[in-house]
Amino acid sequence: PSDVLRRGVAHVLEEITLPCPLLNPASAGWREFGGDPKMPLLHWIAQLQRVSKMPDSVLIMALCYLEMITEKFPLLQITSVNVHRLFLIGCLVGEKMVEDIVYKNKDWRVIGSKYFSCAQINKMEIELMSLLDWSAWVPLDRFEAMLRRVSPPPSSP
């Protein structure tokens, strides 16, 4: 089930991610600004989940957070430059909401393949929580709608 769900999550992320053709992936600032643009989203998601052992529900919550902030701030765009970092921080916040025992932010540096410093992770968490008005609560109807969106339709007999 996780592999199928990961593919669905990657598909939704790809749907909402805009290309960023003005930035050169070879530039020095690219990695600092947005993570590893060469890692496909499905691999990124699988790696995050494999290293952290996070439950599937955290992936859904991370997508919900991205949806919530882009609805609230329509000019905020999820692009090929920031999608890795936004999804990572969404997972960090989601994991803190779902799990009783959570990773420290310095552990998320390792979970995120060391693309971001602990200071960056701390800052990104504060920024995401600020965008969410300091509430990481995801309404059940939103969660269920996102779960349906990432899940394949049931096969017919």
Side-chain angles (χ1 to χ4, degrees), residues 125-146:
E125 180 185 18
I126 291 168
E127 289 172 356
L128 177 61
M129 289 303 301
S130 175
L131 292 172
L132 293 170
D133 289 328
W134 303 97
S135 174
W137 176 253
V138 175
L140 182 59
D141 59 333
R142 181 182 290 271
F143 183 90
E144 289 173 340
M146 187 60 74

Side-chain angles (χ1 to χ4, degrees), residues 35-68:
D36 184 3
K38 296 180 181 126
M39 184 178 291
L41 290 170
L42 180 59
H43 294 3
W44 177 249
I45 295 161
Q47 178 174 310
L48 294 178
Q49 200 170 33
R50 179 182 49 79
V51 174
S52 70
K53 309 286 189 248
M54 74 177 80
D56 292 344
S57 58
V58 171
L59 302 177
I60 303 303
M61 290 186 69
L63 283 177
C64 289
Y65 296 142
L66 298 185
E67 182 179 70
M68 290 161 66

